[in-house]
Amino acid sequence: RNLPINFKKDKEIVLTAVNQNGYALQYADEIFRKDKEVVLETVKRDGYAIKFADKIFKKDKAIVLLAVKEYGSALEHAEDSFRKDKEIVLEAVKSEGFSLKHADESLKKDKEVVLEAVKVEGEALIYADESLKKDKEVVLAAVKQDGNAFPYAHENLKKDKEVILISLKNYSNAL
């Protein structure tokens, strides 16, 4: 952002900058936000930087997939249709469980997707559909990862001794 304008139009300088910090893409000349090579290099290292890319790349499945693999919550900046794409969402939650927040409601009901999310970040259970908060396998996976997920379980599972014990083992202040 502090460079003279002529350097913001130099591809070598822009590539060097985004390789150091993906956020640099927001300060690059607009032509580079539309340059596939620059955008690819950027999101490989900083998935969040898809936010600064031209909208055409937010519709490009290959680029969105790279972005969410690096930073799950990049899903927030992708075209809405990708929030319903199970392949994209699975990669996002494997990278960052809390990216479940940005998934379509239909995938928040998908046991495979939710299990992947809570295995990475137990508290991602907060974004799961209510039906999966009643699912003992899902809740156990969540509290195994982080006992702090316990409050997001369905009331019936909060009375389950196995769930309580595992939650306590993974969060000593659960009482």
Side-chain angles (χ1 to χ4, degrees):
R1 103 179 114 181
N2 298 317
L3 292 177
I5 291 173
N6 61 316
F7 288 113
K8 292 179 184 181
K9 295 181 181 200
D10 183 304
K11 190 170 186 172
E12 180 183 4
I13 287 177
V14 170
L15 280 169
T16 301
V18 298
N19 278 322
Q20 292 297 313
N21 183 344
Y23 282 70
L25 186 60
Q26 71 183 309
Y27 303 111
D29 190 83
E30 189 161 330
I31 194 164
F32 296 117
R33 288 184 248 152
K34 294 179 180 184
D35 183 304
K36 190 168 189 168
E37 178 188 0
V38 171
V39 172
L40 274 170
E41 284 301 311
T42 305
V43 300
K44 272 193 238 176
R45 288 173 175 72
D46 186 350
Y48 181 79
I50 197 169
K51 175 182 180 176
F52 310 116
D54 187 78
K55 64 184 175 186
I56 193 163
F57 298 116
K58 297 174 186 181
K59 298 176 184 181
D60 184 312
K61 186 172 183 170
I63 290 177
V64 170
L65 197 53
L66 277 174
V68 300
K69 281 181 177 181
E70 200 289 315
Y71 177 68
S73 287
L75 183 60
E76 177 182 10
H77 302 292
E79 183 179 61
D80 285 346
S81 65
F82 290 123
R83 295 172 188 233
K84 296 177 184 177
D85 185 311
K86 187 172 179 175
E87 178 187 7
I88 296 281
V89 173
L90 270 171
E91 290 301 328
V93 299
K94 285 177 185 177
S95 167
E96 181 191 0
F98 284 122
S99 64
L100 183 62
K101 174 183 181 177
H102 306 295
D104 184 74
E105 294 302 315
S106 64
L107 291 176
K108 292 178 182 180
K109 295 176 184 178
D110 186 299
K111 186 172 181 175
E112 179 185 5
V113 170
V114 173
L115 269 172
E116 288 296 332
V118 300
K119 285 177 184 176
V120 174
E121 290 171 310
E123 286 187 276
L125 185 61
I126 192 172
Y127 300 116
D129 184 74
E130 289 302 313
S131 63
L132 292 175
K133 293 178 182 182
K134 296 176 186 177
D135 185 299
K136 187 170 181 176
E137 181 184 1
V138 171
V139 171
L140 282 172
V143 298
K144 276 181 187 172
Q145 198 287 320
D146 184 350
N148 286 315
F150 183 79
Y152 307 119
H154 185 270
E155 291 304 314
N156 291 344
L157 289 175
K158 289 180 184 177
K159 299 172 190 168
D160 183 289
K161 186 174 183 175
E162 182 181 10
V163 171
I164 292 168
L165 285 172
I166 290 173
S167 182
L168 285 170
K169 286 178 185 176
N170 292 297
Y171 180 62
S172 61
N173 293 329
L175 287 177

